[in-house]
Amino acid sequence: MKAPPRLTLPAALTAAVLAITTLTPVAALEEAGSTRSTVLSEERQGDLVSRVVESDGEIVSTLVDGTTGEAVLPDPSRAGTQPTGGGPHGGAVLGQWAKSENHFEQLAATSARTAAELDGTDPDGTGTEEGAAAGAASADPLGAAAAWAPNGIKGTDVSNWQPSLNWSSLWNQGSRFAYVKASEGDSIRNQLFGQQYTGAGTVGMYRGAYHFAIPTRGSSGAKQADYFINNGGGWSADGKTLPGLLDMENNPYPSLYGNQCYNFSQAEMVSWIRDFSNRYKARTGRLPAIYTNAYWWNDCTGSSTAFNDHPLHIASYGVSSPRLYPAGWTTYDFWQYTDAGFTERIDANVYRGSAAQLQDLVRNAYYQPIGGRAPARPTTTVPAVPAVPGPFKDVAATHPFAPQIAWVKNQGVLRGWSDGTYRPAQEMTRSQVAAALYRLSGSPGFTPPRVSPFTDVPTGHVFYKEMAWLHARGISTGWVSATGERSYKPAQKVSRDQMAAFFYRLSGRPAYTAPASSPFTDVSTRQGFYKEMAWLQAEGISNGWDDGTYRPAAGTSRDVMAAFLYRYATRS
C-alpha cells in the first residue's frame, strides 16, 4: 500500500492542510500529546483499516494505512472515475451532477484537517483548534453558503470521499440524520460504510444507506437492490434506521453508459426503478426513498407519477426553495440544498417535516411522503399462519404453539436442529436470542468489530456477529464488572423480564407510559423492567398466565419464544 496521495489543492484550501506532512500511527493515539483516543470499532480490508475513534470526547471515523498508520486521504484527481483495483476512492456521489468545481478538493482538505486534529497536530499553523477552524473558514470563499440553511431538521450525506470525519462536530452543528453511501451499481461498495454508519449512530443521528444506481440492461433493478441490501442498505424498524435511498440521477460516466438516461427509454427506466423498488420492499418490508432532480426525472421517466408513495429526496442548489419537482410529488421530504454545508463544507440536507414526522419516517413502513401518497397496505397485516405445524418431529399438531413454531421455522428465525427436532421445552440462551432477534430484523448488513465488545464472547463464537449486532444497536449492553470489563453471558438462560426488555429496545424504545397499577399480580411497578413488561402486555406480545402472573424470573422456552416472535412481528 503506497503512502497517502499527495493533494494538489487550490490556494484557498492549501493553508488548511499545509502543516500535514506525516501523521503519527493511529495505534499510538493514546500516547500522542494531550489527545486521549479510544478505538470503538474497526474493520480491516487488505492494507486499509477504517475505524471509529473517540478522541477527547468526540466521535471521529477515519481511514489509515494498516502498515504505516498514516491517514489515507482522497485523491481529487479521481473525481468522476470509477474505483479500480479495490481502491477506496473514486466513484459517484449523491448529487454528482451538481457538484461545484472544487467539491472533491474541499472534501480532501476537510479529511486532511480532521485527520491532523485527531492526531493532535496543528492543521494550519494557527496554534489552536478554534483558530484552525476559523482559519479554514476564512480561507474558504464558500463560508456564507455553508452558514445559510433552509428551515427544517438538518442532516448530511457522506461517502468514501470522506475518510476522516468528525461526527461530534456535525451533531453540535445540528445535524440529526445522515445518509451514507453503501454501494454503486452491482460491484462497487463503499469500504468506509461500516465505520461511517457507526459513527453517525454513535453520536445519536438517525442513519441510513444510499445506493448510486447504474441502470443497464445487464444489471437489473432487482440485482442492484440485492447488492445494496447485502452491503448495508437494509432497513429495520429499530427506531434509528432511515429507509434505503435509491439515487437516480444523471449518468456520471457517459463514456461507459451513454446519455444521461443510460441509453434507456423512458418506459425501460420506469421498469428498472420498479424492479429495484419491488425487490427492496420484498426483502425489507418497506419502499425505498428516491433521490433525484426534477429535470432528470421528468426527462428520463417521462414524468412518471408512479413512485410518489416513496419519500422524495430532491437535489436543488443555489435557490431559496426548490422551484420544480419531479412528476408525482408536490414537495420534498429531504432537500439537498448545498455541497458546502457546515464548517466541514460537505453536503447539507434538511428534512421538511417535524421531529415527530421524521421519527415516523424512520419507524413506519407505511409512512406517507409529505408531498405524495401513502403506500398501499396489504389486505391483512397478519401473515397467514400455517394450518399444520412445520417439519419438526417433536412438535405435535395439537401443541398450543404449533402454528407459531411453524411460522418461525418458515421465516428462518428459529431453525431447529439437524435431527429434525425443535425442542420446544428447552429454554433459550442469550446467544440464541441474539441470533433470533437479528434474523427477525431481516439479518441486516453488519460488520462485527475485530475486537469483541464482550470479554466472554470470542470473535469465533458461532453467534458472535449477532451478539455484537445486539450490542451495537443498544438492545443488550451486557454487564460491566467493578474492573470495567463488559460480559454478555452467552450461555445463560434468558428470563422473561429480560426478554421484555429485548423486545422493547428492538422496537426502538417507543414512547410509552406504564400504568400506575401493574397488569400482573407478581410484578411490582417499582420492579426493574416493569415498563418493558407492561409494554409487552399492552402490545399483545405476552398476556402472562391465567392466574394473572407474568413470572418475570422464569426462563423463556423455545415454544413461548416462537409465540413472542410471531406476535411481535405481526402486531398491528
Side-chain angles (χ1 to χ4, degrees):
M1 177 71 185
K2 63 181 180 180
R6 182 180 298 276
L7 301 179
T8 303
L9 304 176
L13 300 178
T14 302
V17 295
L18 193 58
I20 301 172
T21 54
T22 304
L23 298 179
T24 303
V26 175
L29 278 175
E30 295 194 4
E31 291 83 33
S34 61
T35 303
R36 298 293 298 174
S37 299
T38 303
V39 176
L40 302 181
S41 65
E42 70 176 26
E43 180 179 358
R44 179 179 291 270
Q45 299 177 51
D47 292 332
L48 301 178
V49 180
S50 57
R51 292 188 172 111
V52 175
V53 176
E54 182 177 2
S55 176
D56 286 342
E58 297 192 324
I59 304 300
V60 180
S61 58
T62 188
L63 179 70
V64 300
D65 185 310
T67 302
T68 67
E70 294 181 332
V72 177
L73 305 177
D75 180 0
S77 69
R78 289 198 55 79
T81 65
Q82 290 185 308
T84 57
H89 305 303
V93 299
L94 210 63
Q96 178 83 20
W97 65 280
K99 298 308 182 195
S100 58
E101 260 182 43
N102 67 345
H103 176 71
F104 294 95
E105 294 171 333
Q106 182 61 63
L107 295 185
T110 296
S111 285
R113 192 162 53 243
T114 301
E117 290 169 352
L118 179 62
D119 185 50
T121 60
D122 182 6
D124 66 350
T126 58
T128 64
E129 290 185 9
E130 291 80 3
S138 63
D140 187 352
L142 299 176
W148 179 83
N151 292 330
I153 299 172
K154 291 197 285 188
T156 188
D157 58 85
V158 300
S159 71
N160 50 312
W161 285 98
Q162 290 134 295
S164 291
L165 193 61
N166 188 325
W167 292 99
S168 296
S169 169
L170 292 168
W171 175 268
N172 292 337
Q173 294 174 75
S175 179
R176 294 297 179 263
F177 64 87
Y179 266 111
V180 181
K181 181 179 179 180
S183 54
E184 177 180 326
D186 59 17
S187 61
I188 300 170
R189 61 181 292 267
N190 174 12
Q191 292 176 279
L192 311 183
F193 172 80
Q195 305 312 315
Q196 291 176 328
Y197 192 85
T198 299
T202 300
V203 297
M205 293 185 196
Y206 295 123
R207 68 281 185 277
Y210 78 84
H211 174 76
F212 196 102
I214 303 292
T216 68
R217 292 175 179 82
S219 183
S220 68
K223 181 178 182 179
Q224 292 195 24
D226 284 335
Y227 187 74
F228 178 44
I229 294 169
N230 294 343
N231 285 283
W235 177 81
S236 62
D238 58 3
K240 303 175 184 178
T241 306
L242 293 160
L245 179 63
L246 172 61
D247 182 357
M248 300 299 307
E249 61 178 272
N250 308 52
N251 171 14
Y253 313 116
S255 64
L256 298 176
Y257 304 116
N259 65 18
Q260 68 166 352
C261 303
Y262 299 86
N263 286 346
F264 270 29
S265 70
Q266 292 170 339
E268 286 176 322
M269 188 63 74
V270 169
S271 178
W272 193 97
I273 297 170
R274 178 60 67 193
D275 195 37
F276 184 103
S277 176
N278 286 347
R279 178 61 63 88
Y280 193 85
K281 175 79 162 32
R283 289 192 57 183
T284 68
R286 75 173 301 169
L287 298 172
I290 293 178
Y291 172 97
T292 194
N293 65 81
Y295 295 103
W296 185 91
W297 183 268
N298 294 338
D299 287 347
C300 296
T301 72
S303 298
S304 173
T305 62
F307 299 94
N308 67 348
D309 51 351
H310 297 56
L312 173 66
H313 193 153
I314 194 171
S316 186
Y317 293 2
V319 294
S320 58
S321 63
R323 296 170 184 165
L324 182 66
Y325 288 97
W329 291 279
T330 59
T331 191
Y332 59 87
D333 297 276
F334 297 100
W335 171 23
Q336 185 189 64
Y337 63 92
T338 182
D339 64 353
F342 305 102
T343 60
E344 286 76 11
R345 307 301 189 264
I346 62 176
D347 288 353
N349 308 282
V350 290
Y351 174 73
R352 185 180 180 89
S354 66
Q357 286 174 296
L358 179 57
Q359 188 176 74
D360 184 53
L361 180 147
V362 169
R363 293 178 174 174
N364 181 11
Y366 298 99
Y367 164 87
Q368 180 169 349
I370 296 173
R373 59 187 169 89
R377 290 178 178 268
T379 54
T380 175
T381 58
V382 179
V385 178
V388 295
F392 294 114
K393 61 187 180 184
D394 58 344
V395 178
T398 55
H399 190 289
F401 294 132
Q404 289 82 3
I405 293 171
W407 184 85
V408 295
K409 171 67 168 76
N410 293 339
Q411 296 294 316
V413 178
L414 289 175
R415 301 165 180 169
W417 275 261
S418 58
D419 62 359
T421 63
Y422 180 76
R423 307 177 192 179
Q426 181 172 305
E427 292 184 345
M428 297 283 292
T429 65
R430 288 173 56 84
S431 63
Q432 291 169 343
V433 166
L437 297 184
Y438 176 76
R439 296 166 187 161
L440 185 69
S441 300
S443 298
F446 174 71
T447 301
R450 292 181 62 210
V451 177
S452 175
F454 303 111
T455 57
D456 58 346
V457 179
T459 57
H461 192 289
V462 65
F463 294 136
Y464 169 62
K465 177 179 181 178
E466 290 82 352
M467 288 182 277
W469 174 83
L470 215 66
H471 173 262
R473 297 297 181 267
I475 298 170
S476 178
T477 56
W479 286 267
V480 179
S481 69
T483 60
E485 294 183 330
R486 187 179 299 276
S487 62
Y488 183 77
K489 305 179 183 178
Q492 180 174 297
K493 301 298 190 293
V494 178
S495 60
R496 287 169 54 85
D497 56 352
Q498 292 173 345
M499 188 58 63
F502 280 166
F503 278 109
Y504 179 73
R505 295 167 187 166
L506 181 68
S507 191
R509 291 179 169 86
Y512 172 72
T513 302
S517 298
S518 175
F520 302 112
T521 59
D522 60 343
V523 176
S524 166
T525 58
R526 297 183 299 276
Q527 188 167 333
F529 299 139
Y530 166 63
K531 176 180 179 178
E532 291 82 351
M533 289 183 279
W535 175 83
L536 210 69
Q537 190 269 346
E539 290 290 302
I541 298 170
S542 177
N543 297 315
W545 272 263
D546 292 340
D547 61 2
T549 62
Y550 180 77
R551 307 178 193 179
T556 306
S557 59
R558 287 173 56 82
D559 55 355
V560 171
M561 184 65 180
F564 282 174
L565 293 164
Y566 172 78
R567 293 168 187 165
Y568 175 87
T570 61
R571 71 195 195 285
S572 58

